[in-house]
């Protein structure tokens, strides 16, 4: 079998790159072994405001310009809803925070997003005596539904192999690769944290940032916006809510822990005072780079190998733009921004 590309990994990065290839009529196959699940468990939130300090997320407006139409077109293609617009209500903890909010609202960057008013809390089960700051034009992508649907789509066309990519079977020719019975011009690794097992890119400075989330059922809570305090509360419908997320910089395992559950529940107790039942817990490792920027580019020695990784905490907004950038780099020799180019590291 001859293809233009082999992709390893079908999380958000692999999916966005596969889409970019398909739009450009390139042939490809994907290997996916379910060894990582960051994209499957992600909250899926897109939002251009850093909610701790009310500052802009790096490159967010440009990313959103590409990301929103990208997910809309996938909704059409796969005939399902994945993008759920929903406002975020940031809980204020003091008058000083309210003032900081109004100062930030004056900045042109935020004009389509931050609303210059203090929203009064009217829900007796939510603890927000200083009210909320409302961010609009935000939302969440149901990444699990999207990936499951996309995997089915590729499977149906015989382009997805549900198996581990075995690095030791990869053969490198001058300007192409062979793997089992396949030949490809290029191979793009999109393995998320799984890249630590990749002999060609194992030295990329990835810092594991394990995150855990709970799902609760709280029939009396009745909120139809996302609440952001030290954690977020995200309505899922039918009185279910996702609660998250934790950050653990040392645990490299994928299983949910009692410690994270306790941390989330104690933070939750400070925000809501309503009975609920925990009905689920999930965990994943965010592929986070030391300098908090993605990693894109070709291998320094083997030009037929490339990487698309380092999506960190914001894969939903980043993946579609990065997929375009790496495609332009590989196919049209466009240069990559220095801040995302793998060559910024000496590997
Ligand atoms: C708890 C949590 C909450 C999050 N919330 C948000 C959020 O609200 N908004 C947001 O934008 N981002 C969020 N993120 C971050 C987001 O999930 C990541 O940025 C993104 O999913 C990374 O995508 P990826 O494709 O690079 O990696 P992954 O999702 O890890 O995908 C890599 C894929 O490669 C596969 N793979 C690896 N090695 C191999 C191999 N050898 N052979 C075959 N397949 C292989 C893995 O199985 C996996 O499916 C969250 C993450 C976590 C953990």
């Amino acid at each position: 079998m001859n293809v233009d590309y082999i992709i390893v990994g079908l999380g958000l990065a692999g999916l966005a790159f596969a889409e970019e290839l398909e739009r450009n009529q390139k042939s490809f196959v994907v290997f996916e072994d379910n060894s990582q699940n960051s994209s499957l468990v992600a909250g899926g939130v897109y939002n251009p405001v850093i909610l701790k300090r009310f500052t802009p997320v790096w490159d967010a407006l440009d990313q959103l310009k590409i990301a929103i139409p990208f997910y809309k077109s996938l909704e059409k293609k796969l005939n399902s809803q994945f993008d759920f617009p929903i406002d975020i209500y940031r809980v204020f903890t003091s008058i000083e925070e309210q003032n900081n909010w109004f100062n930030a609202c004056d900045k042109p960057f935020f004009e389509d997003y931050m609303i210059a008013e203090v929203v009064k809390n009217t829900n007796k089960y939510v603890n927000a005596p200083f009210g909320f700051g409302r961010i609009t034009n935000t939302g969440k992508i149901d990444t699990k539904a999207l990936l499951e649907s996309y995997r089915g789509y590729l499977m149906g066309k015989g382009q997805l192999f549900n198996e581990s990519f075995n690095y030791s079977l990869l053969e490198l020719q001058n300007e192409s690769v062979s793997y089992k019975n396949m030949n490809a011009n290029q191979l793009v690794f999109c393995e998320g944290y799984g890249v630590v097992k990749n002999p060609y890119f194992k030295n990329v400075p990835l810092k594991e940032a394990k995150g855990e989330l709970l799902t609760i059922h709280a029939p009396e809570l009745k909120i139809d916006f996302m609440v952001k305090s030290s954690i977020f509360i995200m309505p899922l419908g039918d009185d279910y809510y996702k609660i998250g997320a934790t950050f653990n910089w040392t645990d490299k395992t994928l299983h949910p822990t009692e410690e994270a559950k306790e941390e989330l529940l104690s933070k939750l107790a400070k925000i809501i005072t309503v009975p609920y039942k925990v009905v689920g817990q999930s965990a994943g490792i965010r592929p986070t780079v030391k300098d908090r920027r993605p990693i894109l580019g070709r291998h320094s020695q083997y030009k037929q190998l490339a990487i698309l990784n380092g999506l960190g905490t914001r894969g939903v907004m980043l993946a579609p733009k990065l997929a375009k950038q790496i495609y332009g780099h590989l196919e049209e020799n466009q240069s990559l921004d220095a801040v995302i180019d793998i060559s910024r590291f000496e590997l």
Side-chain angles (χ1 to χ4, degrees), residues 195 201-208 287-293 295 342 344-347:
V195 75
F201 287 103
K202 67 176 188 298
N203 293 329
V204 294
L206 227 55
K207 189 83 196 83
E208 58 279 3
T288 305
V289 182
K290 272 190 189 150
D291 64 4
R292 303 289 186 274
R293 293 289 177 263
I295 291 199
I342 189 170
R344 71 190 186 277
F345 299 112
E346 276 186 27
L347 299 175

Side-chain angles (χ1 to χ4, degrees), residues 8-14 31-45 151 163-165 167 190-194 209 211-213 232 245 284-287 308-309 311-317:
V8 179
L10 194 65
L12 285 170
F31 288 84
E32 169 54 52
D33 67 356
N34 296 314
S35 56
Q36 294 292 325
N37 58 5
S38 185
S39 299
L40 286 172
V41 304
V45 180
R151 286 176 186 187
E163 60 183 67
S164 256
F165 184 83
Y167 305 97
C190 304
E191 305 128 308
Y193 187 65
E212 299 196 38
L213 298 150
F232 71 72
I285 301 182
R286 307 168 182 92
L308 169 50
N309 208 317
L311 274 56
T313 58
R314 298 184 200 279
V316 165
M317 292 203 304

Side-chain angles (χ1 to χ4, degrees), residues 122-136:
T122 54
N123 186 321
K124 65 178 175 179
Y125 297 119
V126 177
N127 186 17
F130 292 96
F132 307 96
R134 180 162 76 95
I135 305 162
T136 194

Side-chain angles (χ1 to χ4, degrees), residues 49-318:
V49 186
I50 295 179
L51 293 168
K52 224 180 208 171
R53 302 182 290 274
F54 314 143
T55 49
V57 170
W58 168 72
D59 195 35
L61 299 189
D62 237 36
Q63 289 165 17
L64 280 171
K65 253 187 234 153
I66 295 172
I68 301 301
F70 173 84
Y71 294 112
K72 284 278 166 237
S73 76
L74 280 170
E75 288 184 336
K76 259 201 192 141
K77 176 171 179 160
L78 302 170
N79 201 18
S80 259
Q81 186 177 1
F82 305 120
D83 179 8
F84 295 85
I86 183 169
D87 287 356
I88 300 174
Y89 282 46
R90 163 66 154 80
V91 178
F92 291 133
T93 55
S94 63
I95 300 285
E96 193 191 344
E97 268 202 339
Q98 294 176 348
N99 292 336
N100 294 344
W101 179 266
F102 283 109
N103 288 339
C105 286
D106 285 342
K107 298 190 178 124
F109 179 94
F110 293 123
E111 66 184 0
D112 292 337
Y113 298 94
M114 290 175 71
I115 309 295
E117 64 184 28
V118 174
V119 180
K120 239 181 112 196
N121 178 29
T122 54
N123 186 321
K124 65 178 175 179
Y125 297 119
V126 177
N127 186 17
F130 292 96
F132 307 96
R134 180 162 76 95
I135 305 162
T136 194
N137 291 322
T138 49
K140 70 148 195 174
I141 302 297
D142 186 340
T143 52
K144 185 165 185 281
L146 170 60
L147 279 163
E148 284 173 356
S149 177
Y150 201 78
R151 286 176 186 187
Y153 168 74
L154 286 187
M155 195 63 122
K157 298 200 304 161
Q159 286 175 273
L160 176 62
F161 297 93
N162 273 130
E163 60 183 67
S164 256
F165 184 83
N166 184 342
Y167 305 97
S168 64
L169 298 182
L170 179 64
E171 290 174 33
L172 301 177
Q173 277 84 44
N174 267 350
E175 295 198 334
S176 61
V177 300
S178 306
Y179 182 74
K180 295 187 176 173
N181 60 343
M182 288 167 207
N183 301 304
N185 299 333
Q186 284 277 338
L187 194 164
V188 178
F189 291 111
C190 304
E191 305 128 308
Y193 187 65
V195 75
V196 294
K197 294 192 185 141
N198 180 334
Y200 298 97
F201 287 103
K202 67 176 188 298
N203 293 329
V204 294
L206 227 55
K207 189 83 196 83
E208 58 279 3
K210 181 172 175 177
E212 299 196 38
L213 298 150
L214 298 176
T215 306
I216 63 165
H217 187 226
E220 289 166 74
L221 188 54
K222 304 285 178 223
I223 47 178
D224 58 2
F225 47 85
M226 239 186 290
V227 175
K228 175 72 175 92
S229 179
S230 55
I231 49 172
F232 71 72
I233 302 173
M234 180 200 288
L236 299 175
D238 297 329
D239 300 319
Y240 288 92
Y241 298 87
K242 218 174 228 187
I243 311 296
T246 57
F247 274 86
N248 183 318
W249 299 96
T250 50
D251 183 356
K252 296 176 186 163
T253 67
L254 285 177
H255 33 261
T257 62
E258 206 47 43
E259 196 188 339
K261 183 176 175 184
E262 276 169 27
E263 178 188 329
L264 290 171
L265 291 182
S266 82
K267 287 180 174 167
L268 186 62
K270 293 189 180 127
I271 314 170
I272 62 167
T273 54
V274 70
Y276 61 82
K277 220 183 184 173
V278 177
V279 295
Q281 185 173 357
S282 50
I285 301 182
R286 307 168 182 92
T288 305
V289 182
K290 272 190 189 150
D291 64 4
R292 303 289 186 274
R293 293 289 177 263
I295 291 199
L296 272 71
R298 293 181 195 268
H299 191 276
S300 56
Q301 194 180 347
Y302 308 113
K303 302 297 178 198
Q304 62 278 60
L305 304 182
I307 186 170
L308 169 50
N309 208 317
L311 274 56
T313 58
R314 298 184 200 279
V316 165
M317 292 203 304
L318 279 167

